[in-house]
Amino acid sequence: MTPERTETTATGRRAARGPTRREAREAHLRRRSMVIAALSTAAVIALIVILVPMAPGWERVQKSFFNLDVFTRTFPGLLKAFLLDVMIFAWCAPMIAILGLVIALARDARSPALFPLRLFGSIYNDVFRGVPVILVIYLVGFGIPGLGLPRPWNSPYIWGTVAVVLTYSAYVAEVYRTGIESIHESQRAAATSLGLSHWDTMRYVILPQAIRRVIPANMNLLIALQKDVALLSFIGPVEILRQAGVYKSVHANFTPYLGAALIFLAVTVPATRAVDRMIARQNRARS
Amino acid sequence: MAVKLQMIDVWKSFGANEVLRGIDLEVEEGQMVCLIGASGSGKSTLLRCMNLLEPVDDGVILLDGADITDPELDPQPIRQRIGLVFQSFNLFPHMTALDNVLLAPRRIHRKARAALLPGVEALFDRFGLADRMSHYPDQLSGGQQQRVAIIRALAMKPEVMLFDEVTSALDPELVGEVLDVLRALKAEGMTMVLATHEMAFAREAADKVCFLDAGRIVEEGPPAEIFSAPREARTRAFLARVL
């Protein structure tokens, strides 16, 4: 009996006998969960479609948030204002990447002469991760031009950028540090045993591996930055959030805010998906 | 033969754990010394202290008669004279085999890539890796990676080479190619210290075998003596377990 069985291949056996008991059971379970998922989704959508319009204020909400006429008239203007967000983002991101790295390295400095740098690094991180972004934007954006600086040094663009860069660099520095600490001690030992200096070991052995490892984490911060750029509107620049506010006043209608939200989503959703894919790929490569 | 490397009463502990407890060891020029003993007996720590990767707590290590454990000394130039090869290869995974080897000479000797290339290519060629220079470590077998790691250490033209169980992480069929490299280095007169579990190799190739137990050298001598007629009971017990 037994030897005969081992001679036939697994696929051959399945073809001859049809699905095994386990396969039949799994197929049954799969069918059942699909039916349940479809039914529950349909029920939720039906409830929303039926119940929400039954709310007493639905007519008003529909007019002030979902006004197609206002939407089509303001959307192009919003898109144009969004370009400013993109520009601010584009010059902030590289500055954050560089300053974040400098702060991370400052916190790693070992020589006693560089102790002030290390101290500065950790105070910096505590302060800027502890204060809400909007507060930093207010303090820097209103406070520094308040010193009575001449043009163009009183521009809200400059000081708004400074505020955002300061805040985000603190987070990015922390991500870099996690990456640096994740590199196995044996890499440092190998470099040191060859006679490489502390800095050369960092520059050529540790950092290239660490930075690569934390790219997904930093991309997540970039996505958050893309949204927080809109906070600059509070100190002046007419970017998309402020433009939407202007349209809101002009048309006495909230639909422009919805338009702005859709524009943000159009950027952040694909970016988030791309990062998720990147993380998945990295996890696969490491396992 | 002149004494190349000498350890005098070397002590080292990690916290409360005393790993080396008074090591005295002499390595003559061109000698191959094998350290044997159970895991945790202090073999690896001994090698890491010789390369100054770990500072010793007490005692002296002399290289060509000069104290290299003086805390006032800059350890970097000394490490360049003493190559260390690790059990787990520790190649830099983001660099090709060639760049792994070139990094230290380029940064430390400040030489251009082109000036270093002929010598390094000759090393790759000698150890049968000429066609693997542009491969990344994860594209190489364990035996190839370990040979690249040896080339990386040799490229600094060290006077002494230390090998920390360099075949322990290899599949059995790859051990031979690495041991062949060690034989070749011995033949050209390299001074070497090996921590090893390859008893047959130690017996065949070593000039001196030292048995370590609990941070001390319990017994040392020519391999024929240590393996055939050990004097100490602890050596006999260890050999009975591993042979």
Side-chain angles (χ1 to χ4, degrees):
Chain A
M1 276 297 274
T2 328
E4 234 175 295
R5 242 185 172 179
T6 51
E7 271 167 22
T8 51
T9 63
T11 19
R13 251 173 69 200
R14 219 173 299 136
R17 292 192 187 172
T20 64
R21 280 192 305 168
R22 211 184 112 193
E23 283 164 347
R25 173 81 185 142
E26 278 170 0
H28 171 70
L29 286 179
R30 248 195 323 272
R31 267 197 308 278
R32 208 177 64 171
S33 25
M34 251 149 44
V35 169
I36 292 174
L39 285 179
S40 87
T41 311
V44 169
I45 291 175
L47 276 179
I48 293 172
V49 171
I50 295 165
L51 285 185
V52 171
M54 281 165 72
W58 169 244
E59 292 269 310
R60 258 180 303 136
V61 169
Q62 197 181 18
K63 243 183 245 148
S64 55
F65 279 90
F66 301 98
N67 190 319
L68 190 65
D69 179 46
V70 174
F71 185 85
T72 44
R73 265 192 287 162
T74 56
F75 195 76
L78 289 174
L79 260 185
K80 229 174 100 194
F82 186 65
L83 270 184
L84 185 55
D85 291 79
V86 172
M87 271 163 54
I88 296 173
F89 171 82
W91 70 59
C92 281
M95 283 194 266
I96 289 167
I98 292 165
L99 184 62
L101 187 57
V102 170
I103 298 288
L105 291 176
R107 296 195 63 189
D108 197 59
R110 288 185 179 180
S111 122
L114 297 179
F115 181 75
L117 206 62
R118 214 167 80 198
L119 189 69
F120 170 78
S122 51
I123 292 177
Y124 179 94
N125 257 23
D126 286 346
V127 168
F128 285 101
R129 289 199 307 159
V131 179
V133 195
I134 184 66
L135 262 183
V136 178
I137 291 176
Y138 272 139
L139 291 175
V140 175
F142 286 138
I144 295 183
L147 295 172
L149 301 174
R151 284 168 73 83
W153 294 105
N154 57 2
S155 152
Y157 288 96
I158 294 180
W159 299 109
T161 300
V162 167
V164 169
V165 168
L166 285 176
T167 303
Y168 268 82
S169 296
Y171 288 97
V172 169
E174 211 47 28
V175 168
Y176 280 135
R177 282 190 56 74
T178 323
I180 290 170
E181 273 155 28
S182 78
I183 303 301
H184 197 264
E185 184 51 39
S186 61
Q187 288 286 306
R188 206 183 281 266
T192 308
S193 80
L194 288 165
L196 285 168
S197 67
H198 178 69
W199 167 245
D200 274 351
T201 302
M202 185 54 89
R203 161 82 180 75
Y204 293 97
V205 176
I206 309 292
L207 273 188
Q209 299 182 61
I211 290 176
R212 212 167 301 182
R213 207 171 274 191
V214 297
I215 286 175
N218 275 333
M219 293 293 285
N220 273 327
L221 283 175
L222 280 188
I223 292 168
L225 170 68
Q226 174 60 57
K227 295 179 298 171
D228 279 355
V229 159
L231 295 178
L232 286 198
S233 63
F234 287 100
I235 57 169
V238 184
E239 48 68 69
I240 185 166
L241 186 55
R242 199 174 180 87
Q243 185 65 61
V246 171
Y247 284 144
K248 178 209 71 180
S249 306
V250 170
H251 296 277
N253 193 293
F254 287 107
T255 305
Y257 283 136
L258 190 75
L262 287 178
I263 291 173
F264 273 110
L265 284 177
V267 173
T268 50
V269 169
T272 314
R273 289 289 168 280
V275 172
D276 286 349
R277 264 202 307 280
M278 199 189 252
I279 294 173
R281 200 165 52 228
Q282 210 171 61
N283 285 344
R284 263 203 312 280
R286 224 179 292 168
S287 58
Chain B
M1 271 293 195
V3 175
K4 185 73 190 171
L5 193 70
Q6 188 175 12
M7 299 182 105
I8 305 168
D9 196 27
V10 167
W11 291 73
K12 174 73 189 176
S13 51
F14 296 103
N17 182 17
E18 286 196 319
V19 185
L20 301 180
R21 302 190 301 147
I23 296 280
D24 291 292
L25 177 66
E26 270 184 21
V27 183
E28 285 175 21
E29 189 133 24
Q31 241 186 357
M32 179 193 272
V33 173
C34 284
L35 311 172
I36 61 170
S39 303
S41 59
K43 306 185 298 287
S44 293
T45 306
L46 186 57
L47 294 180
R48 290 170 74 95
C49 285
M50 282 181 179
N51 176 269
L52 306 184
L53 214 47
E54 302 286 352
V56 302
D57 295 339
D58 198 9
V60 176
I61 302 175
L62 304 174
L63 179 64
D64 285 335
D67 182 4
I68 58 170
T69 41
D70 183 346
E72 302 290 319
L73 283 179
D74 176 10
Q76 279 172 33
I78 300 161
R79 292 196 187 111
Q80 294 159 25
R81 297 170 60 192
I82 305 176
L84 175 57
V85 183
F86 301 85
Q87 175 176 351
S88 49
F89 329 135
N90 300 1
L91 291 179
F92 308 133
H94 58 298
M95 294 182 191
T96 62
L98 181 63
D99 287 331
N100 261 278
V101 173
L102 286 176
L103 176 64
R106 281 174 72 185
R107 296 302 305 164
I108 293 165
H109 298 152
R110 299 268 164 201
K111 281 190 187 155
R113 196 184 165 88
L116 291 160
L117 217 47
V120 167
E121 276 175 348
L123 278 174
F124 273 98
D125 194 37
R126 211 181 121 204
F127 296 121
L129 291 170
D131 56 340
R132 292 286 183 276
M133 286 197 298
S134 52
H135 286 54
Y136 284 88
D138 64 1
Q139 300 169 316
L140 299 172
S141 74
Q144 290 169 338
Q145 289 189 55
Q146 193 57 293
R147 280 183 285 156
V148 172
I150 294 172
I151 293 172
R152 181 173 71 177
L154 287 175
M156 289 302 290
K157 303 202 172 22
E159 301 158 38
V160 179
M161 284 283 282
L162 312 175
F163 297 90
D164 187 4
E165 298 191 15
V166 289
T167 56
S168 298
L170 297 179
D171 292 334
E173 72 268 24
L174 302 177
V175 169
E177 61 190 63
V178 172
L179 293 183
D180 284 342
V181 170
L182 300 184
R183 286 190 192 95
L185 288 177
K186 178 179 159 63
E188 69 177 36
M190 176 63 80
T191 309
M192 293 189 274
V193 185
L194 281 71
T196 185
H197 287 299
E198 296 287 331
M199 296 303 156
F201 177 76
R203 187 171 207 157
E204 158 217 321
D207 298 298
K208 178 158 87 174
V209 175
C210 303
F211 170 64
L212 269 82
D213 187 48
R216 288 178 202 274
I217 295 181
V218 175
E219 187 169 357
E220 65 171 78
E225 230 169 71
I226 297 282
F227 288 109
S228 315
R231 292 185 307 275
E232 299 288 331
R234 277 187 283 175
T235 318
R236 281 197 293 273
F238 171 75
L239 290 174
R241 277 205 310 277
V242 298
L243 288 181

